[in-house]
Amino acid sequence: MLTSLVVALGAWRWFVFGLLLLTAELIIPGSVLLWLGIAAILVGFLAFLFDPGWQIELVAFAVLGLAAAIAWWRIGRPADETSDDRPMLNRRAERHIGRVFTLEAPIVGGEGRVRIDDTSWRISGPDLPSGARVKVAAVDGATLLVLPEA
């Protein structure tokens, strides 16, 4: 039954298939189905113009889909998301290496907290009283490793 429906649609089957793929792209984003949907619609135009056999249509769909995906991968995909003007944009903790801060609360048992701008950061270092100045030496995940300022 499904086969007879697909055969009865003729070249329109590619337009229907392409629209189904484009709809699926809206539901499941990832940019792959977009290019396959466009390739199916192009094969639909090819089928209307030349009426090739189904084998040629399948090969044309495979070639167009692969070519579109490769073209997107090489040309159209987003550029590397690192920023030359702000290299530490997504590495907030590492931005603080080398900076000096004053402790509002003491470091006890090797752990404490320091307020930097509007954020409270977990710190690790030698026990120090509040009011001591510390320098961020390294980062371990979201914990700043501090040393007493020299």
Side-chain angles (χ1 to χ4, degrees):
M1 179 172 163
L2 182 63
T3 307
S4 61
L5 177 64
V6 170
V7 171
L9 283 174
W12 285 102
R13 66 179 164 253
W14 287 105
F15 291 105
V16 171
F17 183 54
L19 290 175
L20 287 173
L21 287 170
L22 293 176
T23 303
E25 175 67 31
L26 293 173
I27 297 169
I28 311 166
S31 294
V32 175
L33 297 178
L34 171 70
W35 302 110
L36 293 177
I38 292 171
I41 291 171
L42 290 175
V43 171
F45 284 121
L46 175 74
F48 266 123
L49 294 175
F50 302 109
D51 193 25
W54 64 269
Q55 299 92 340
I56 304 268
E57 291 176 3
L58 284 178
V59 170
F61 174 69
V63 169
L64 287 171
L66 186 62
I70 290 172
W72 168 249
W73 184 76
R74 299 205 67 213
I75 299 167
R77 70 181 178 161
D80 188 14
E81 296 192 19
T82 58
S83 173
D84 292 335
D85 60 338
R86 296 190 303 181
M88 298 291 198
L89 180 63
N90 291 322
R91 299 185 317 209
R92 290 183 56 207
E94 293 178 27
R95 290 189 305 195
H96 300 303
I97 293 176
R99 290 182 63 188
V100 177
F101 301 102
T102 303
L103 295 177
E104 294 177 4
I107 299 177
V108 178
E111 295 182 359
R113 297 194 78 76
V114 67
R115 186 136 185 96
I116 303 174
D117 300 325
D118 62 346
T119 307
S120 177
W121 289 84
R122 187 175 6 164
I123 58 174
S124 179
D127 291 352
L128 294 169
S130 60
R133 294 185 50 83
V134 293
K135 182 175 186 177
V136 179
V139 173
D140 181 19
T143 302
L144 304 177
L145 306 175
V146 297
L147 298 171
E149 183 186 30

